[in-house]
Amino acid sequence: MFVYVNGQIVSKEKATISAFDHGYMYGLGLFETIRVDNGHPFLLDDHFQRLQNGLTSLGINWSMKREEIVEVIQALLQANELESAYVRWNVAAGSNDLGFYTGEYTNPTTIVFMKPLPSQIASEKDATILSIKRNTPEGEFRLKSHHYLNNVLAKRELGDASNVEGIFLTEAGFVAEGIVSNLFWVKDGVVFTPSVKTGILDGITRQLVLSLLEQKGIPYRIGFFRPDDVMSADEAFITNSIQEVVSLTSLNGQSYRGEHLVARELRRLIAFNRERLWSRSELNGGIT
């Protein structure tokens, strides 16, 4: 594997950072996971707008234009002999003295990882409600940060099974999100999903799905819901940037026996747009 580190492409064995990088010392950094198909980074503009906004809120001075980002991705594709890939783009605060720093970080660390897309991406999974609760965001809203302990502990609770997703509840007992996904379900033709006020990450694919539902005239509701609301649904699905839309066959042993029509239609629409969209804002007139 070849990795991009601060302007250079190096083998993974040579990819290093300073021990004083505050991304390592304090988890002060953000990342985006991007799906690349046949050289096109799907929804790249949306991913990097979220990344830029988050870094600004952390006092990390970082920016790159789309052309520069694409150049890095294309160089990594070539180095790793890939046309399609899973890309993880990390930006950390960079080196500073030991101790908390309240000023602006002006020399951040940028690392871009790349690996092949899974040879088979599941279209169905089971789900189970986790006993560990979703922690509240450290700030006003949840960032896609290097501070991932809540998710790691949840994955340890769930175990290694790749065909099961764990679903977080909040401390108040509201449905939140999956370990690596956002959650949706359908009841009587209406799509439901938890509010970001439950502390979930506002996923890029989550935002795309809401835009697609609006474009297609499918009603949806965002709010605070209990596990029984999900288990009594006609269908349910989870979303993320690599797997995109995955139907749930069951939740806590309660099976979904419907035809998963909404999830199937969303998968079709995303597949149609996957190699053309830079942002969900381009959807106008682009749905068939």
Side-chain angles (χ1 to χ4, degrees), residues 175-176 193-201 206 221-225:
V175 178
T193 195
S195 167
V196 293
K197 293 181 180 179
T198 61
I200 65 173
L201 180 73
R206 175 185 185 272
R221 284 184 54 199
I222 300 171
F224 292 82
F225 306 100

Side-chain angles (χ1 to χ4, degrees), residues 185-204:
W185 62 97
V186 185
K187 182 71 173 180
D188 297 330
V190 180
V191 179
F192 297 83
T193 195
S195 167
V196 293
K197 293 181 180 179
T198 61
I200 65 173
L201 180 73
D202 190 6
I204 297 302

Side-chain angles (χ1 to χ4, degrees), residues 6-79:
N6 290 335
Q8 293 186 315
I9 293 179
V10 299
S11 65
K12 66 178 183 179
E13 294 78 11
K14 296 181 179 179
T16 60
I17 64 170
S18 167
F20 287 88
D21 194 309
H22 280 200
Y24 167 74
M25 296 177 75
Y26 302 114
L28 194 56
L30 305 178
F31 71 97
E32 291 290 333
T33 303
I34 304 160
R35 177 167 171 160
V36 177
D37 284 85
N38 293 320
H40 179 74
F42 188 40
L43 302 178
L44 180 140
D45 290 357
D46 293 348
H47 280 286
F48 280 87
Q49 185 62 61
R50 180 173 68 176
L51 178 65
Q52 183 69 73
N53 291 344
L55 291 170
T56 298
S57 73
L58 294 178
I60 299 174
N61 186 349
W62 180 93
S63 67
M64 288 183 77
K65 296 180 180 179
R66 182 204 285 179
E67 293 77 12
E68 298 172 290
I69 295 165
V70 170
E71 185 177 338
V72 171
I73 291 173
Q74 293 298 330
L76 273 180
L77 287 171
Q78 183 175 0

Side-chain angles (χ1 to χ4, degrees), residues 33-42 73-74 76-78 80-88 112-118 121 241-242 274:
T33 303
I34 304 160
R35 177 167 171 160
V36 177
D37 284 85
N38 293 320
H40 179 74
F42 188 40
I73 291 173
Q74 293 298 330
L76 273 180
L77 287 171
Q78 183 175 0
N80 287 292
E81 299 182 346
L82 296 171
E83 292 183 356
S84 300
Y86 170 119
V87 175
R88 174 171 162 148
V112 187
F113 303 89
M114 179 177 286
K115 65 180 181 179
L117 286 173
I121 296 178
S241 291
I242 301 300
R274 190 183 293 132

